[in-house]
Amino acid sequence: MPDLDPATTALLTVECQNGVVGEESALPELAKEARDSGMLERVAALADAARGAGVQVLHAVAERRPDGRGASVNATLLRAAGRLPVRQLTGSRAVQVAAPIVVAEQDLVVRRLHGLSPMAGTDLDALLRNLGVRTLVVTGVSSNIAIPNTVFDAVNLGYQVVVPADAVAGVPATCTAEVIRNSLALVATITTAEALLAQWAPAS
């Protein structure tokens, strides 16, 4: 595990929003996996512990304008997003971070209108650099698409990346294990939520 100095480490939650992992999700199978696996509770616990340790917490949210202007349409998934029964519209409940994860006053929320990664076309990289962050802990959904994109983009930009394997989710669940073992483990440090919570626990 790399040194998780709070001054140079940030925790990122990816698409942990009501319209993706909440009870009114546009992707109910993914939402069920996120809840039933305990992923959401672990991400919430990690965010709380990170703040307590002085680690910056950021939340990456995917959203769309009501008119769809500027949204990506160059992939099947992206074209389908505009036709889903629950749309991730700017300002709506669907793009609010889902319980039990809390957005604290000191957290930063990064919103994107296009693409598959919060690192592309947003302020995320600039915010992390302005904060002096060198190590990024990536959590959230989905292990099929957004999580690998985020990890690869962060590595390409020079960040050390840590992925708690039980704080990411996708469907089917077996896909998550395969992606972690065969892709993410080659470029990121794989750990568990428990190990990170132990690192960020208050000194006794």
Side-chain angles (χ1 to χ4, degrees), residues 3 6 19 22 37 55 90 105 117 127 141 145 163 197 202:
D3 177 30
S37 68
V55 172
T90 300
E105 184 177 358
S117 165
L127 292 173
V141 296
I145 297 174
V163 178
L197 290 171

Side-chain angles (χ1 to χ4, degrees), residues 73-92:
V73 293
N74 58 335
T76 301
L77 173 65
L78 299 171
R79 289 191 295 273
R83 301 191 300 270
L84 291 172
V86 177
R87 300 173 66 201
Q88 317 299 324
L89 298 182
T90 300
S92 71

Side-chain angles (χ1 to χ4, degrees), residues 6-187:
T8 59
T9 301
L11 172 75
L12 177 69
T13 75
V14 179
E15 294 186 29
C16 291
Q17 58 199 78
N18 287 319
V20 176
V21 297
E23 292 184 359
E24 63 272 34
S25 171
L27 305 165
E29 188 178 0
L30 176 59
K32 185 177 188 303
E33 175 61 24
R35 291 194 303 270
D36 292 354
S37 68
M39 185 276 287
L40 285 176
E41 286 74 17
R42 283 187 284 273
V43 173
L46 285 170
D48 288 342
R51 294 186 201 100
V55 172
Q56 179 66 55
V57 177
L58 303 97
H59 307 276
V61 175
E63 59 183 46
R64 300 172 60 89
R65 287 169 48 110
D67 61 8
R69 190 175 298 274
S72 306
V73 293
N74 58 335
T76 301
L77 173 65
L78 299 171
R79 289 191 295 273
R83 301 191 300 270
L84 291 172
V86 177
R87 300 173 66 201
Q88 317 299 324
L89 298 182
T90 300
S92 71
R93 175 173 163 74
V95 298
Q96 294 175 358
V97 173
I101 302 167
V102 173
V103 179
E105 184 177 358
Q106 67 267 37
D107 294 0
L108 296 171
V109 179
V110 178
R111 305 182 183 280
R112 78 175 196 272
L113 288 171
H114 73 94
L116 300 169
S117 165
M119 278 291 196
T122 72
D123 293 333
L124 180 55
D125 181 41
L127 292 173
L128 293 173
R129 292 187 189 281
N130 290 345
L131 291 163
V133 170
R134 302 302 308 147
T135 301
L136 186 63
V137 179
V138 177
T139 67
V141 296
S142 76
S143 57
N144 309 67
I145 297 174
I147 296 299
N149 269 270
T150 304
V151 171
F152 295 146
D153 283 350
V155 170
N156 285 333
L157 288 168
Y159 295 95
Q160 182 83 40
V161 179
V162 175
V163 178
D166 53 354
V168 297
V171 288
T174 53
C175 178
T176 300
E178 291 296 326
V179 168
I180 290 171
R181 180 169 54 251
N182 296 309
S183 296
L184 301 187
L186 303 178
V187 296

